[in-house]
Amino acid sequence: MARSKRRMTEEQEFEIMKLVLDKFLWLGFIVMGWGMYTSIRDSTILPGLWYMVAGAVVLFLFTVIIVKEYEVWK
């Protein structure tokens, strides 16, 4: 006998999505911070700049996911 799946309310779905997206936010800032640290430590900008760009890409993806998932612009 197949069990019926339970559906989440919009509020429950939003709370779970906030937890997941919060990790993207932390990851983006940590990568950018590591890039800044690398640039200052090595006194060369290019290696750290790549980390900062990667962190910016993660934050941009974070923004796209939020706008797409929650239709912020409506």
Side-chain angles (χ1 to χ4, degrees), residues 13-71:
E13 184 179 336
F14 180 72
E15 290 298 320
I16 291 173
M17 191 59 117
K18 278 193 328 187
L19 292 171
V20 171
L21 293 178
D22 184 50
K23 304 309 182 258
F24 275 105
L25 182 64
W26 277 108
L27 181 65
F29 279 115
I30 287 170
V31 171
M32 289 181 79
W34 179 257
M36 183 64 73
Y37 170 74
T38 303
S39 292
I40 293 171
R41 182 191 64 196
D42 296 339
S43 69
T44 58
I45 294 176
L46 192 58
L49 183 65
W50 286 114
Y51 283 108
M52 288 188 270
V53 169
V57 167
V58 169
L59 291 176
F60 179 74
L61 289 174
F62 170 74
T63 304
V64 169
I65 290 171
I66 287 177
V67 169
K68 181 181 172 190
E69 187 68 28
Y70 294 107
E71 300 173 3

